[in-house]
Amino acid sequence: MVWAPEARTAPGPGGGTTLEVLRALESGPRGLTEAEAEARLTRHGENVFPGRRPASWPRRFARSLRDPFTAVLLGLGLVSAAVAAWGTACVIAALVTVSGVLRATGEHRADRSAAALRDLVATTATVRRRATASAPPTARELPVDQLVPGDVVLLAPGDLVPADLRLLRATGLSVHEAALTGESAPAARNAQDPCLQGGSVVSGTGSGVVVATGRDTVLSGALPTPRHRSAPGPFHRSVNGIAWTLIRFMLLVAPLVVIAGALLRGRGLETLPFAVAVAVGLTPEMLPVIVTTALARGAALLARDREVIVRRLPALHDLGAVDTLCVDKTGTLTQDRPVVARALDADGHDDPDVLRWAAVNALWTVHLAELPVPDALDEAVLDAAEADAPGYEAEYEGVDALPCGPGRRLSTAVVRRPGDPRFALARTHTLVVKGAPEDVLDRCALAPAERERLVHRAADLAADGLRVLAVARAERPACEGPYTPADEHGLTFAGFVALSDAPAPTAAEALAELARRGVAVKVLTGDHPGTAARICRDLGLHPGAVLTADRLDALGDAELVRVARRTTVFARCSPEHKARVVEALRAGGRTTGFLGDGVNDLAALHAADVGICPRGGVDVAREAADVVLASKDLTALERAIVVGRRSTANIGSYLRITLSSNVGNVIAMLVAGLALPFLPMLPAQVLTQNLFFDAAQLALAFDDPGREAAARPAVLRPRALLRFVAGFGALNAAADLATFAVLALTAGEGPFHAGWFTENLLTQAAVMLLLRSGAGRAPGPLRFAVAGLGVAGLLLPVSPVGAALGMAPLSPLCYGLVGVVLALYGAALTVARRGWFGPR
């Protein structure tokens, strides 16, 4: 597919005749004058991509305050300030600030790293201009950003097309447009054809007049206006689902504490600070900090080797949740260059002579036709012959060559044997012809039935995903004048050369590893279905039934959801087809990543849960992506998926630990608050306890969740999490209520507060060790945090700080009884943990 230009003030690259285009642009083949070019530069602006302006750090910080928990914390902080609970308000403000700073700094650093990876490839262009209207035109190199509509640009092999052009002249011109169309093979371009920005010249020469620059080019117009997705990603769905469930519970609990205290104990509004403290205790206030720390640490690990840059921190969680990865074939599964697969004679048997004749044709066509660089297929033939038929280049010397060209799909090399007296006397030349099977067979002396048989054989090879070249030759008396296409007749058919795309070196291993990790790979390509299926088979990916674009168009959205789930290869896809397949996979409940690097991939990058682009992709694709890879290497992507899953596992550990502990504490406080003649814990004590627990839980971001965490897609599932919290929260509440019973019978108000403070921090320390995701020995930061939590629980109540908070030391009997409760709780927690997770 070739992108259709938008309507513009200047004629598009495909509109009107060449003369009409030149007249509309007030230009000509001799180019613009310098004065006119300068005036147009002022009028049209520089020829630069109108990319997004990166968000400033303050704007990122403000954006980080939008998540539900942060908003709730801010609300609780305002309530605390309103009732003069300044300690609570200060703690909440500190938590919100730290979270916002970490998140904004991480994303800002990621954007700077992604910008540093950009390759500035197209910096200059050869332009024909005149000093004055009467001066002769001269060709000179100009920065690409100085091009204006009406400029005449000269193209040569290796050049990137710097703007949208209408070709004025083309000689054997072929342009690689994979970034625009997804087609891996170069496309031939003739005079009057459009030539769009973003393509690269493979062979031939040409000139064209610039019809659009900057934001008016097709390349720039292909980028949708600011990024949006049809539905929130997995991270936001998961966190928001958990958040709103807890917020509803919290909004119910806080008024319930005030009402119950007023009705049953006659306390009135003096319980309001306690109710706020209970609400804060229920809220996982460190969630924004833990999430940001875990994701930022994972992103930093990936960026350390400059292999993967995560531009949007939640995308790292989404990457870990990916269970379906959509990739283009060209450049991802293949090296974007063909290799010779087989050389066959007329009967379908392997024949090295066919490859030798094809190499003779390729060698002397390149030399005698003065092609600056060989065609990619010729390069593949020459590479194969160098390995399998060495010495072929010394057998013949070139006489003449007729290369491929516009409308001509074959090439002919005329050669002779050097130093052969018989050939020298007879002056015999050999014509070696290579090209499209139909064109070559038409020039061979074949019976109709034989020709039909060979056409079918070529079709069978093509259906198997191979590119097919036919090879023929003929010996003729030497021609006195130059050879012409009229001499290409009565040929003897030699055989077929079949070529396939060279697989990427690490693709097979990466695909196997992704499959082991539960990631299904879908191939979305603009190539022939047979070509796509073959490369999949070569890499060990079963292609199944290939779905082509015409069949895809016939499917409704609901039917496509079912078909997309079981289809592996989608061929002949346009950009719209790719986006529609990605949306169908998401609609079917799959967490979908899309790896693409061209303009034709933009719609799919936006539609995916995670958009992934290699560093070598076009600017617009990199801007649209959430994750930037140093190269199109699936191995690096697989490592990024593993890091994402481990980060998610650590976030899940925090949620399980803090929510089960908090819910248990809240239930216990509600029961004790109604049963006891005094508050079970003063607001300052609740906040102090939360502060210690929250600080210790920061270490969970540095936990090693083990191999199991990377074995399958990691998603924070609200329902599963809430079931866990309900079960383990009830167990925690039972331990707290048992502690209350012991303390109520053996201690007064001050020791009661001290005993529950100690028991609470010690149970939370046990929960951090037993409910973490990792197996085996906990890493150093986590062991240090747990030890610090235990020391604080034992020593703070008997210190002057404890006395200032209203706590009094416990008797030895109370310590012993609390120790028994803790031992029983630890044993029950271990049994319950084994029942939930299985043995470690």
Side-chain angles (χ1 to χ4, degrees):
M1 172 183 175
V2 177
W3 285 88
E6 304 279 342
R8 306 182 180 89
T9 55
T17 66
T18 301
L19 183 59
E20 290 171 344
V21 170
L22 289 173
R23 284 178 176 172
L25 292 167
E26 298 180 0
S27 182
R30 301 173 68 225
L32 301 174
T33 64
E34 294 292 349
E36 177 61 23
E38 185 175 346
R40 295 188 184 196
L41 184 62
T42 302
R43 186 163 68 248
H44 293 278
E46 291 187 342
N47 178 36
V48 295
F49 166 67
R52 295 181 306 172
R53 183 182 297 277
S56 63
W57 191 94
R59 186 174 180 181
R60 293 180 190 277
F61 179 82
R63 200 164 53 195
S64 70
L65 305 179
R66 295 178 183 174
D67 68 84
F69 278 126
T70 303
V72 169
L73 283 176
L74 287 173
L76 291 174
L78 293 175
V79 172
S80 300
V83 298
W86 299 110
T88 304
C90 290
V91 170
I92 290 173
L95 290 174
V96 170
T97 302
V98 169
S99 172
V101 168
L102 286 174
R103 186 178 304 183
T105 301
E107 292 188 359
H108 186 67
R109 185 183 297 118
D111 260 2
R112 285 193 305 173
S113 299
L117 286 176
R118 292 175 184 168
D119 292 329
L120 302 177
V121 285
T123 56
T124 63
T126 305
V127 181
R128 184 182 294 158
R129 281 186 182 174
R130 296 170 290 159
T132 63
S134 59
T138 58
R140 62 190 185 92
E141 293 290 315
L142 279 181
V144 166
D145 60 14
Q146 299 300 301
L147 292 182
V148 296
D151 264 329
V152 174
V153 176
L154 308 182
L155 299 175
D159 287 347
L160 287 170
V161 181
D164 286 355
L165 309 176
R166 166 65 76 89
L167 291 176
L168 305 176
R169 178 187 61 81
T171 304
L173 186 67
S174 63
V175 180
H176 195 279
E177 296 181 332
L180 292 160
T181 66
E183 295 285 353
S184 58
R189 287 287 176 261
N190 304 318
Q192 301 191 32
D193 283 350
C195 201
L196 301 181
Q197 183 185 37
S200 58
V201 179
V202 176
S203 62
T205 59
S207 64
V209 61
V210 175
V211 296
T213 59
R215 66 177 64 252
D216 293 327
T217 62
V218 171
L219 181 64
S220 297
L223 181 65
T225 56
R227 181 184 185 85
H228 68 279
R229 285 193 169 93
S230 56
F235 177 80
H236 291 103
R237 289 198 301 268
S238 300
V239 172
N240 288 348
I242 296 166
W244 286 112
T245 300
L246 292 174
I247 288 169
R248 293 184 188 101
F249 187 39
M250 181 195 67
L251 293 177
L252 177 66
V253 167
L256 183 62
V257 171
V258 176
I259 294 171
L263 294 178
L264 300 180
R265 292 292 177 181
R267 292 171 181 154
L269 290 178
E270 64 263 24
T271 60
L272 184 58
F274 178 69
V276 172
V278 170
V280 174
L282 179 62
T283 304
E285 59 269 21
M286 289 296 287
L287 179 61
V289 180
I290 294 287
V291 166
T292 304
T293 303
L295 296 179
R297 181 171 180 266
L301 290 174
L302 292 172
R304 183 176 299 168
D305 299 326
R306 299 190 71 81
E307 286 189 348
V308 181
I309 299 297
V310 180
R311 301 184 66 234
R312 187 177 61 87
L313 285 182
L316 186 58
H317 164 272
D318 295 348
L319 201 58
V322 162
D323 54 26
T324 303
L325 177 64
C326 298
V327 301
D328 192 7
K329 176 187 71 68
T330 306
T332 304
L333 304 181
T334 68
Q335 298 183 54
D336 201 15
R337 65 177 181 85
V339 294
V340 172
R342 300 185 68 185
L344 309 171
D345 62 17
D347 295 323
H349 302 132
D350 291 326
D351 187 348
D353 279 345
V354 176
L355 177 60
R356 183 170 60 86
W357 284 116
V360 169
N361 169 280
L363 176 69
W364 291 109
T365 299
V366 170
H367 286 340
L368 298 177
E370 298 183 353
L371 297 178
V373 293
D375 178 80
L377 299 180
D378 283 342
E379 282 187 322
V381 168
L382 293 173
D383 288 344
E386 185 176 349
D388 299 337
Y392 72 92
E393 62 271 19
E395 295 181 21
Y396 293 92
E397 63 181 23
V399 175
D400 199 357
L402 302 173
C404 296
R408 176 178 164 81
R409 301 190 302 163
L410 53 80
S411 64
T412 297
V414 182
V415 298
R416 66 185 176 192
R417 286 185 179 272
D420 188 325
R422 181 176 64 83
F423 279 85
L425 291 173
R427 298 195 62 203
T428 300
H429 291 168
T430 302
L431 278 69
V432 185
V433 181
K434 171 175 62 65
E438 297 85 353
D439 294 36
V440 174
L441 292 173
D442 285 344
R443 291 160 173 78
C444 293
L446 297 170
E450 178 66 5
R451 182 188 181 284
E452 190 67 18
R453 184 181 70 86
L454 293 174
V455 167
H456 283 303
R457 185 175 297 281
D460 290 341
L461 291 171
D464 197 30
L466 298 170
R467 299 179 188 176
V468 184
L469 297 174
V471 182
R473 61 190 178 90
E475 292 184 356
R476 301 282 170 77
C479 179
E480 295 295 336
Y483 283 85
T484 69
D487 296 306
E488 299 166 340
H489 63 85
L491 306 176
T492 301
F493 181 75
F496 295 114
V497 174
L499 302 100
S500 62
D501 288 330
T506 60
E509 177 186 353
L511 288 174
E513 189 62 29
L514 287 169
R516 283 195 292 271
R517 298 197 183 281
V519 179
V521 175
K522 310 282 187 181
V523 180
L524 280 60
T525 179
D527 267 353
H528 186 281
T531 304
R534 181 180 182 87
I535 193 63
C536 289
R537 287 194 297 269
D538 291 345
L539 294 173
L541 181 65
H542 181 61
V546 179
L547 185 67
T548 55
D550 54 347
R551 292 176 53 205
L552 194 153
D553 287 333
L555 297 176
D557 290 342
E559 189 176 3
L560 180 59
V561 169
R562 295 190 296 272
V563 173
R565 180 181 288 272
R566 62 175 184 265
T567 302
T568 300
V569 179
F570 303 81
R572 296 298 191 198
C573 287
S574 69
E576 292 78 11
H577 291 129
K578 293 181 180 182
R580 191 170 173 229
V581 169
V582 170
E583 289 169 352
L585 290 168
R586 292 187 72 202
R590 309 302 292 267
T591 303
T592 306
F594 182 85
L595 172 60
D597 64 348
V599 178
N600 62 317
D601 297 323
L602 283 174
L605 284 169
H606 282 282
D609 289 304
V610 187
I612 308 157
C613 179
R615 173 177 59 180
V618 297
D619 285 347
V620 287
R622 285 200 303 267
E623 288 293 328
D626 302 305
V627 177
V628 178
L629 304 179
S631 63
K632 253 191 176 182
D633 186 352
L634 290 179
T635 303
L637 182 57
E638 183 268 334
R639 286 194 292 270
I641 289 174
V642 169
V643 171
R645 292 179 179 181
R646 290 182 173 177
S647 299
T648 301
N650 287 340
I651 295 170
S653 287
Y654 165 75
L655 286 170
R656 286 195 302 271
I657 290 168
T658 192
L659 292 179
S660 58
S661 180
N662 288 358
V663 168
N665 288 345
V666 167
I667 294 172
M669 281 194 288
L670 288 175
V671 173
L674 298 177
L676 296 174
F678 53 83
L679 291 176
M681 188 174 285
L682 300 178
Q685 296 166 359
V686 174
L687 293 173
T688 302
Q689 172 191 277
N690 286 345
L691 188 61
F692 279 110
F693 191 30
D694 292 339
Q697 287 179 105
L698 278 173
L700 291 171
F702 301 89
D703 194 10
D704 179 7
R707 294 182 180 180
E708 295 81 4
R712 59 189 180 276
V715 182
L716 300 174
R717 304 187 186 278
R719 291 185 179 179
L721 179 62
L722 294 177
R723 286 198 302 270
F724 181 95
V725 168
F728 284 85
L731 184 61
N732 183 272
D736 286 346
L737 291 174
T739 302
F740 288 169
V742 168
L743 294 174
L745 295 174
T746 59
E749 182 176 349
F752 184 99
H753 291 157
W756 190 27
F757 187 92
T758 298
E759 183 266 350
N760 213 356
L761 287 189
L762 291 178
T763 56
Q764 288 171 340
V767 166
M768 285 184 65
L769 283 178
L770 292 175
L771 297 188
R772 53 184 280 263
S773 295
R777 188 180 184 187
L782 189 58
R783 296 199 306 273
F784 178 80
V786 169
L789 201 59
V791 169
L794 290 170
L795 297 184
L796 190 140
V798 298
S799 70
V801 176
L805 292 173
M807 290 183 280
L810 287 171
S811 66
L813 175 62
C814 287
Y815 274 120
L817 293 174
V818 170
V820 171
V821 172
L822 286 171
L824 292 173
Y825 174 68
L829 192 63
T830 301
V831 173
R833 200 266 180 221
R834 287 179 177 272
W836 185 277
F837 292 106
R840 294 198 174 208

